[in-house]
Amino acid sequence: MDAIQQEVAKSDPAIPFRASTSHTHYTWAKTFQCRPELYITPHTLPEIQKVVDLARKCRRRIVVVGCGHSPSTLTCTSSWMVNLDHYDRVLHIDPAKKTLLVEGGIRLRQLNIEANKVGLTMPNLGSIDEQSIAGAIATATHGSALRHGLMSESVRSLRLVLANGQAVRCSSEENRELFRAGLVSLGALGIITEVEFQMRDACNIEWEQSLEPLGKILDTWHTTLWTRKEYTRVWWMPYMKRAIVWSAETTTKSLRQPEESFYGGSVGFHTYHNLLWLSNYVPAILPWVEWFVFGMQYGFKAGGGPTASAVEPLRTGLLMNCLYSQFVNEWALPLHKGPEAITRLSAWLNGEHGGGGIPFSNKGLYVHCPIEVRVSDTSRSPTPRPYLDNTDAEGPTLYLNATLYRAYLRDPPCKDRYYEAFEWLMREMGGKPHYAKNWQFTDATYIQRAFGGDLREWVRVRDEADPEGMFVGEWHRAALGLGGGGEQDGTAGRLALAEREVERKGAASGPGDCVFWRGAVPESSASASAYASGVGGAVGASPSARHEEEKPAFAIRVHSPSASATSGESYDMMHGSEARSMLLSGSEYDDEDDRDDGEGEGDAATMERDDRRFHGNRREGWMGTQVFDKM
């Protein structure tokens, strides 16, 4: 830490370096925990560039994190963690084009609230709006509508701070390759600092949901199921062979809340939670739990008409209740393969003859309800297709989501066998995984074959923007083969800053079955020596000289530094003067910056606070939080 302190002391004193050495990071679902060497909370673009400059000098990896919604190790690091919650302003509103230019740390909820003030709203959302705009784009977040694709299709331009400290703007017209790589970057390209996002006119939606036999779902799959209304979601109950169909359309009707019931609030929430906990010890009760819990809420007879309906603003109407901590394993398939995938998985789960052709035993295995079914279509999007777009380029896409709840933060015993079989089926049918989920039995070789030239192009652009792997970690190596371990990426031995996993073990102080993750961080003294010898550009060299050395091979337009972070120009604001900025020991910045984002220190109050966040769009009623009004 002394070498890092020395580098900080040499930097520009006018630009703060807001860093803590005592932060503990948790994923949103409390599946993983890690302790970064530094937890940094910049407020301005120069502060972000200073972080990148110091990381390069100190030979450190950078991980950018918002709410940590991914339940995997994607956001875990023992190096430097950057949180952009204080970099969250709306910079410009263009009413004519219906676009908002915002800083990368703004959360989706805040973005929508600000847009609604001027009569605009986001056209599409996933199940929650806790994520930062940068994180949602980077992980290929999607909603459920054939009239919409990935959230990134609404991005008109990006600005990223690359590993050399330059803030570079890209769009379909400018730095197009960087734009295609940045639209789904997985945090491995640079720090997304600005997003220009396309909105639509603010409106209300009327939604309704009904309980239907699975046979009806499959019979209408290719006709009216997905096209009758603009937004449609399906929640499949595998043992009852039924599904809840939720659909919504824009409306001019007045707002109307769904009807409340005694079971739809705290009674239903705690009943299901405790039954899930009991099933960890008696798994065979899960088919009965499915029948009872969802029968109490949605009825015991399928096809009886709507079970609930309401009129809500679009920005809240699309949000769903996530209920509890969970593992999520979601894959994308061509939509036309949906009936086959569901039929085969149903046969395996229910022990039917042939088991759907899935070569794994289902003996004694019982899973949770529901399995989520969603759709999108990026094949007609006017936005350049991201290199790592996991949807079907030729037509509509199905997302099949095998969710497993972690009752009281305990892992269900079925997880590994269920997910191994589920992933086998998805691979056998040519699927691609959702990056921000818990796929664990699929190696980089399959991903490289599935994405082919698109992945190779993304790796090429990524390596030109970040040749030493400042933004690369173990997740990227295992999932994509970066930094060695892949047959096609050609990066073995070259990503000197890429972080490798050292261990994962049960967290001694973490909640439930939370796993502690630790990565390798180089010694500062050795790294400083390497930097001085020219690995990252000579210490003391002028900012312009270092930038010229490290400029990526693709054509980035670099303009003169601007005093305004909201202009259309790129920046070169590196500083080499002496400074008196110091690191902060203790948790001064932790207390200031943990804005209810699920990244607290793990005390009882924090856990209780975060448990409430699993309800997504929380609505209080006479029987407590209404968690079952929508799934």
Side-chain angles (χ1 to χ4, degrees), residues 544-577:
S544 60
R546 280 186 280 139
H547 285 176
E548 186 63 34
E549 289 175 3
E550 298 166 349
K551 183 183 297 184
F554 52 85
I556 292 180
R557 302 178 187 175
V558 182
H559 306 283
S560 301
S562 168
S564 170
T566 64
S567 75
E569 297 178 340
S570 298
Y571 296 88
D572 182 346
M573 302 179 67
M574 307 298 291
H575 298 274
S577 60

Side-chain angles (χ1 to χ4, degrees), residues 435-501:
Y435 303 108
K437 310 301 183 182
N438 287 103
W439 45 295
Q440 61 188 77
F441 293 99
T442 302
D443 61 22
T445 302
Y446 174 82
I447 301 301
Q448 291 170 344
R449 287 199 307 267
F451 281 90
D454 285 339
L455 177 58
R456 289 191 291 272
E457 282 301 296
W458 181 83
V459 170
R460 178 185 64 81
V461 175
R462 200 224 68 80
D463 284 355
E464 290 172 351
D466 176 26
E468 293 189 284
M470 178 184 290
F471 300 101
V472 174
E474 179 68 21
W475 187 95
H476 303 98
R477 185 198 67 79
L480 307 177
L482 296 186
E487 299 174 354
Q488 303 176 29
D489 68 0
T491 60
R494 294 200 292 110
L495 303 183
L497 299 185
E499 186 176 14
R500 300 297 294 267
E501 180 178 314

Side-chain angles (χ1 to χ4, degrees), residues 238-239 279-280 282-287 290 345-352 355 358 360-369 371 402-404 412-422 441:
Y239 297 117
S279 74
N280 284 350
V282 191
I285 70 170
L286 280 170
E290 178 180 309
L345 185 59
S346 177
W348 183 74
L349 291 173
N350 288 286
E352 298 171 3
I358 299 174
F360 296 90
S361 171
N362 72 338
K363 185 177 180 180
L365 180 135
Y366 299 92
V367 304
H368 296 172
C369 170
I371 296 172
T403 297
L404 288 173
C414 63
K415 178 175 76 75
D416 287 350
R417 187 150 47 112
Y418 180 30
Y419 281 179
E420 186 174 18
F422 178 74
F441 293 99

